[in-house]
Amino acid sequence: MSNKLKPSIIAAGDTNQALRVILGLTVLAVLPAILVSMTAFLRIIIVLSMLRHAIGMQETPPNSAMIGLALFMTLFTMAPTMQTINDQAFQPFMSGKINAEVAYEKTSIPMREFMVRQTREQDLALMVELSKSKPPETMDDISNLQLIPAFMLSELRAAFQIGFVIFLPFLLIDLVVSSILMALGMMMMPPISIALPLKILMFVLIDGWSLVLKALVGSFH
């Protein structure tokens, strides 16, 4: 009897291992979409891009450096959520204690909690209206199809608000330099040639990168 059960047990173990591999490959395939639509990455990369344009350097720092910095800042911001997912869903699933359906449910709970904290009620109401669904009574009644775009709208709004504040001091420098050049009669000299070094110097003196990253991380808490 035991000899007959051994092949079936081995086959079941192989099947579970294959399912875990397939699920892992699927997650890797959709990881870029998850990163942009369900994490802090969207707000961070937009603010860093707006900062680069505010300084006036279109290609410096390069895109690879900006994306790498945004990825690490996303990891720092999402660390509590990722730790909860690892403890409650990923590790139990990899050890075979829970199946894929339970792992998905345990993964979605902390992710939804993070997105709900960052999402405005107006954006949620807009998505519910656009989906022509009945008004939800609790947050559990809101589907991911409604929550994720509402979260992205809120992230875009927050990123543009932070970017506007970042633009103001650099805009002031541009205005001052342009006014001085006009007063001196130097109409042919492009203001950017003088304003750019001044903006870089100011940004370095105030330790601008630290201030921006600290403000970004603080905006999620």
Side-chain angles (χ1 to χ4, degrees):
M1 184 69 178
S2 59
N3 292 332
K4 294 181 180 179
L5 290 176
K6 285 182 180 180
S8 60
I9 294 174
I10 295 174
D14 292 341
T15 302
N16 292 334
Q17 183 65 28
L19 289 174
R20 287 194 286 268
V21 171
I22 293 173
L23 182 61
L25 294 176
T26 303
V27 171
L28 288 177
V30 300
L31 186 60
I34 295 175
L35 183 67
V36 171
S37 60
M38 299 177 63
T39 69
F41 180 82
L42 182 62
R43 182 189 305 187
I44 295 173
I45 194 62
I46 289 177
V47 171
L48 293 180
S49 298
M50 294 181 72
L51 171 62
R52 183 171 64 179
H53 286 285
I55 295 176
M57 298 182 295
Q58 303 302 320
E59 300 296 335
T60 305
N63 290 332
S64 57
M66 301 289 281
I67 293 174
L69 181 59
L71 284 173
F72 279 103
M73 297 308 301
T74 302
L75 289 176
F76 296 153
T77 304
M78 301 289 297
T81 302
M82 294 295 102
Q83 185 63 44
T84 302
I85 293 174
N86 182 67
D87 294 340
Q88 298 182 2
F90 182 73
Q91 292 299 334
F93 174 73
M94 294 303 294
S95 61
K97 296 180 180 178
I98 59 177
N99 56 29
E101 183 178 356
V102 176
Y104 171 77
E105 294 177 356
K106 290 183 176 294
T107 300
S108 63
I109 292 175
M111 290 299 299
R112 282 176 60 89
E113 290 177 352
F114 171 79
M115 289 189 290
V116 167
R117 288 198 303 268
Q118 309 301 328
T119 304
R120 300 190 311 154
E121 292 184 4
Q122 297 92 322
D123 296 327
L124 277 174
L126 174 62
M127 289 300 110
V128 172
E129 179 182 354
L130 292 177
S131 64
K132 298 181 180 180
S133 303
K134 63 179 182 179
E137 297 181 358
T138 64
M139 290 305 302
D140 294 334
D141 297 332
I142 298 177
S143 65
N144 291 333
L145 190 62
Q146 299 165 346
L147 177 59
I148 292 175
F151 168 75
M152 295 182 69
L153 282 179
S154 298
E155 289 296 283
L156 289 172
R157 185 176 187 274
F160 275 74
Q161 287 177 333
I162 299 173
F164 174 76
V165 175
I166 291 175
F167 254 97
L168 289 180
F170 296 108
L171 178 61
L172 180 61
I173 292 177
D174 287 331
L175 292 175
V176 171
V177 170
S178 298
S179 299
I180 293 176
L181 290 178
M182 290 183 64
L184 294 175
M186 304 173 66
M187 306 293 294
M188 301 302 295
M189 176 174 286
I192 188 64
S193 61
I194 297 178
L196 180 58
L198 292 178
K199 288 190 285 188
I200 295 175
L201 177 62
M202 181 202 72
F203 194 68
V204 171
L205 290 177
I206 66 173
D207 197 11
W209 287 110
S210 297
L211 292 176
V212 170
L213 295 181
K214 188 181 297 183
L216 273 173
V217 175
S219 67
F220 288 97
H221 298 291

